[in-house]
């Protein structure tokens, strides 16, 4: 059976009320590859029934711009509205994931929307993984600072050892105190910013 025939028969079974059709993970991931589609499906999941496309677009724009619906700029709303109207919602509608009445501007979850729900939530495992990633990025940043101070300290003491005129004339106690002070400053900043 060809992929086209399978798609046609799957569509006809959905039209006849058979909602047991399972999308492949490849299909699900393909449809979820766009953040706007994920946001749209998440918004629809949070609503009890049909929503106006304008409200959906505003909330998606707010999430994209990390702000509230009230604080959105006109161009931020318009950019998201147009992309949803022309591309993302029709694509989801064609796959029976949503029911989109473009002429009335009404959107609701379709028969296959439930299959996307597990991918729309940040469960405890995912948020732990995100937290671990953020911690790793933070520790990498501080490691970089320590590495630079170590390089500067080594360079300073190499300059003293090689008798570089300006640096070698400074007392060794002063250079040592400056090195310890730099490490103390970075350690204090790291502790204070946690």
């Amino acid at each position: 059976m060809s992929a086209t025939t399978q798609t046609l028969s799957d569509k006809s079974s959905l039209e006849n009320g058979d909602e047991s059709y399972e999308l492949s993970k490849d299909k699900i991931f393909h449809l979820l590859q766009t953040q706007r589609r994920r946001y749209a499906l998440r918004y629809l999941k949070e609503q009890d029934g049909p929503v106006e496309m304008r409200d959906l677009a505003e909330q998606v724009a707010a999430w994209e711009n990390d702000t509230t619906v009230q604080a959105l700029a006109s161009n931020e709303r318009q950019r998201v509205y147009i992309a949803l109207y022309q591309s993302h919602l029709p694509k989801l509608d064609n796959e029976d994931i949503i029911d989109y009445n473009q002429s009335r501007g009404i959107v609701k979850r379709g028969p296959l929307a439930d299959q996307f729900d597990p991918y729309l939530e940040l469960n405890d495992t995912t948020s732990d993984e995100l937290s671990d990633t953020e911690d790793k990025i933070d520790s990498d940043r501080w490691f970089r600072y320590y590495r630079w101070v170590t390089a500067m300290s080594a360079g300073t003491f190499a300059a003293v050892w090689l008798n570089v005129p300006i640096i070698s004339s400074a007392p060794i106690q002063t250079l040592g105190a400056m090195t310890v002070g730099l490490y103390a400053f970075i350690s204090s900043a790291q502790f204070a910013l946690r």
Side-chain angles (χ1 to χ4, degrees):
M1 176 184 284
S2 72
T4 308
T5 308
Q6 186 177 7
T7 304
L8 291 174
S9 68
D10 295 336
K11 283 268 195 198
S12 65
S13 68
L14 278 173
E15 290 165 1
N16 294 328
D18 180 14
E19 295 181 14
S20 63
Y21 171 62
E22 291 285 325
L23 291 170
S24 70
K25 283 193 177 185
D26 286 340
K27 183 69 150 181
I28 291 172
F29 292 152
H30 173 72
L31 291 167
L32 291 176
Q33 73 184 2
T34 304
Q35 182 69 47
R36 282 189 181 148
R37 284 188 216 134
R38 292 192 302 271
Y39 281 153
L41 290 170
R42 181 174 133 199
Y43 180 77
L44 290 171
K45 181 177 185 262
E46 294 171 356
Q47 306 309 307
D48 288 331
V51 298
E52 290 188 26
M53 194 270 186
R54 183 197 53 182
D55 295 337
L56 170 71
E58 285 180 341
Q59 184 57 61
V60 169
W63 284 333
E64 275 188 16
N65 293 288
D66 198 24
T67 188
T68 63
V69 170
Q70 296 78 16
L72 279 172
S74 175
N75 64 334
E76 292 169 334
R77 287 172 208 245
Q78 185 177 14
R79 184 174 58 242
V80 172
Y81 185 92
I82 290 170
L84 287 171
Y85 179 83
Q86 292 179 345
S87 174
H88 301 301
L89 295 180
K91 184 171 186 86
L92 293 172
D93 183 47
N94 288 339
E95 299 291 339
D96 289 321
I97 296 148
I98 64 169
D99 289 325
Y100 176 40
N101 186 329
Q102 199 169 28
S103 61
R104 292 184 57 220
I106 302 294
V107 185
K108 67 178 182 176
R109 286 169 57 95
L112 300 177
D114 290 344
Q115 294 181 39
F116 290 81
D117 291 350
Y119 305 102
L120 300 175
E121 297 176 2
L122 282 180
N123 58 28
D124 292 336
T125 306
T126 307
S127 69
D128 288 345
E129 289 171 4
L130 289 174
S131 177
D132 291 345
T133 303
E134 290 170 359
D135 289 345
K136 182 175 179 350
I137 291 169
D138 189 48
S139 66
D140 287 348
R141 178 174 52 119
W142 288 107
F143 181 71
R144 197 172 345 128
Y145 296 147
Y146 285 111
R147 197 171 46 223
W148 276 106
V149 170
T150 301
M152 287 174 29
S153 300
T156 302
F157 286 105
V160 168
W161 185 68
L162 294 172
N163 287 326
V164 173
I166 296 174
I167 297 175
S168 63
S169 63
I172 195 76
Q173 292 87 354
T174 303
L175 295 174
M178 286 175 47
T179 300
V180 170
L182 278 172
Y183 281 104
F185 174 76
I186 291 175
S187 297
S188 299
Q190 182 180 9
F191 181 74
L193 295 175
R194 281 190 177 245

